[in-house]
Amino acid sequence: MGKLKKITALTLASTMILTGQSVFAETNNNNISVVVDGSELTFDTQPVIENGRVLVPFRKIFEALNCAVSYRSNGASKEVVAVNGEKFITAEIGSNTMTVDGEEIKLDAPARIDNGRTLVPLRAVSESLNADVQWNGEEKKVTINKKAGFYKISSVSNDETVKADDGTNIAYISTVYPVIEGSSDFVKKINSEYKAQAEKFVSSAKTEFVEDAKLLYKEMGSEYNPMEFTLSYEVNTNRDGVISITNFDYENTNGAHPSYSKSSRTFNMTDEKELQLIDVLVGEQEGLEQTVYDAFISYLEKNDPGLDAEAAENLGSKLNDVSWYLTDDSLVMYYNPYEIAPYTLGTPTVEIKPENEPMLNLYLSK
């Protein structure tokens, strides 16, 4: 499952606080509007202002920002977890800090529960996901803009909490998948495939691990930690008719360490085709394989002191298995953990810029 740092990151206590420098009045909290990429959000619990910060229901805002979301309750501890690609956010209810990729961020207003809904600080949460946030005091309106793209891409989120017979939480399963706007058969096919992948992820987690989770809980009792399963995604590029998306797969089943992997797909929306690496690294197959080999042998020589002839031979047998995606200005190639290197090396990754690789197609320089 996705290369994700430990999912402690996205537990943002359930309400977002707007942490701008401007201070909002504590009165007249009604009718605060929140607009994300031009669409106004509808809340079942209205946003409020506390300590000059706007707080909003966590699920609605995180889902609008393309996150896989889960709410976790363990005794007196309650927290919100949000995952967007490799970005993890966690916020504990009542705490004046949230954690983003392992780094604590101080909040002016903590996440809290209001009318049965968890509220989180809006600006802090949005900016942790690299969104731009603007406050219009006269209109009492928050405008949030994510990174602009050529095509509009929205998300569908789902989360489930699996419980033991006594009601204890034993597993959390959360997914989010992309939905590309459009009515062509090509777009519909892409969207249906991402939906099916998310549904399969949930089904597999339940089929393969829920019974194990129940047995482990019976054996360990209060020492048991709920299993975690998260599928999220990141849009790597969305420009000039090209979309590149990476899915992140994460699972923590209380083994020696969590498991993660990722998978990427790149689409030429104009020509309605899914691109292969040879479409980007133009040339003959032999030249492509040599480019991959040279790039990763150099990576391994630099990062793996134990590199030997066997490891080099293993790489040579997996040149056609390399995964890749496009950013706005580079080609990124990678292997998942264990494919060509020990787990300790994580996800071996090589980035290639057009100026450093004559074979690189002009997809990156339009």
Side-chain angles (χ1 to χ4, degrees):
M1 297 191 158
K3 171 194 172 181
L4 304 168
K5 305 167 197 174
K6 199 157 181 204
I7 245 179
T8 49
L10 217 40
T11 267
L12 280 107
S14 332
T15 295
M16 296 176 101
I17 299 173
L18 189 56
T19 62
Q21 294 182 347
S22 58
V23 177
F24 312 143
E26 298 289 333
T27 58
N28 297 323
N29 282 342
N30 294 333
N31 301 319
I32 297 170
S33 61
V34 178
V35 176
V36 178
D37 286 347
S39 298
E40 183 171 349
L41 302 185
T42 301
F43 302 103
D44 53 7
T45 295
Q46 289 303 305
V48 300
I49 296 176
E50 181 176 314
N51 292 338
R53 301 294 178 256
V54 174
L55 285 80
V56 299
F58 84 93
R59 183 175 301 281
K60 195 75 173 183
I61 189 63
F62 277 129
E63 290 179 351
L65 294 172
N66 304 331
C67 292
V69 183
S70 60
Y71 177 80
R72 304 181 180 186
S73 176
N74 184 11
S77 175
K78 296 176 175 59
E79 66 181 8
V80 178
V81 175
V83 181
N84 176 261
E86 293 181 285
K87 178 83 69 175
F88 282 82
I89 302 169
T90 61
E92 184 175 354
I93 307 305
S95 172
N96 64 352
T97 62
M98 73 177 186
T99 303
V100 180
D101 293 342
E103 179 182 353
E104 284 195 352
I105 296 177
K106 184 173 176 55
L107 303 173
D108 292 324
R112 76 183 206 200
I113 295 177
D114 189 10
N115 293 327
R117 292 289 182 266
T118 300
L119 305 180
V120 294
L122 182 59
R123 183 182 293 274
V125 169
S126 301
E127 291 185 341
S128 71
L129 292 163
N130 303 318
D132 177 70
V133 183
Q134 299 295 328
W135 166 253
N136 184 317
E138 290 185 4
E139 298 181 9
K140 291 170 49 174
K141 176 181 177 180
V142 182
T143 302
I144 300 172
N145 290 304
K146 297 175 286 187
K147 180 181 177 181
F150 191 83
Y151 289 87
K152 183 176 181 179
I153 301 176
S154 58
S155 300
V156 174
S157 303
N158 179 62
D159 69 284
E160 299 183 36
T161 299
V162 181
K163 297 180 179 292
D165 293 338
D166 63 2
T168 299
N169 298 338
I170 59 172
Y172 301 108
I173 306 172
S174 58
T175 62
V176 60
Y177 62 88
V179 178
I180 302 170
E181 185 178 79
S183 58
S184 71
D185 289 342
F186 181 66
V187 169
K188 289 178 180 177
K189 179 175 182 292
I190 295 171
N191 290 339
S192 66
E193 289 170 350
Y194 278 119
K195 178 182 179 181
Q197 182 180 10
E199 292 173 342
K200 182 179 180 181
F201 179 88
V202 174
S203 176
S204 296
K206 290 179 176 179
T207 301
E208 298 176 20
F209 295 104
V210 166
E211 290 305 315
D212 289 344
K214 290 179 179 179
L215 291 174
L216 273 176
Y217 171 63
K218 287 182 179 179
E219 293 175 5
M220 300 176 66
S222 61
E223 299 298 316
Y224 175 81
N225 291 315
M227 293 185 179
E228 303 169 0
F229 304 90
T230 304
L231 176 68
S232 64
Y233 76 93
E234 180 179 348
V235 178
N236 308 113
T237 193
N238 177 9
R239 61 190 292 273
D240 297 319
V242 175
I243 296 176
S244 200
I245 297 173
T246 297
N247 272 357
F248 295 80
D249 227 311
Y250 173 92
E251 68 178 38
N252 187 343
T253 59
N254 292 321
H257 51 70
S259 299
Y260 58 84
S261 65
K262 58 185 184 181
S263 59
S264 304
R265 301 177 70 183
T266 300
F267 308 98
N268 182 331
M269 305 302 290
T270 304
D271 295 339
E272 296 193 336
K273 70 176 278 191
E274 182 168 358
L275 298 176
Q276 305 302 314
L277 185 56
I278 199 168
D279 296 318
V280 179
L281 282 175
V282 293
E284 301 297 327
Q285 181 67 25
E286 183 177 349
L288 183 152
E289 292 177 359
Q290 189 64 51
T291 298
V292 175
Y293 184 83
D294 291 345
F296 282 96
I297 276 294
S298 176
Y299 173 92
L300 292 175
E301 288 175 343
K302 180 179 179 180
N303 294 280
D304 185 5
L307 180 67
D308 55 20
E310 183 179 350
E313 183 179 348
N314 179 49
L315 171 60
S317 69
K318 295 182 178 295
L319 298 178
N320 292 323
D321 298 329
V322 68
S323 298
W324 64 279
Y325 59 84
L326 296 178
T327 69
D328 288 350
D329 60 1
S330 68
L331 165 69
V332 178
M333 300 186 294
Y334 65 90
Y335 286 95
N336 281 306
Y338 291 121
E339 286 188 315
I340 64 168
Y343 181 85
T344 52
L345 280 190
T347 304
T349 302
V350 172
E351 183 176 23
I352 300 178
K353 299 283 189 177
E355 58 268 25
N356 298 325
E357 177 48 67
M359 293 175 63
L360 201 54
N361 194 294
L362 293 180
Y363 279 119
L364 301 178
S365 57
K366 292 182 179 179

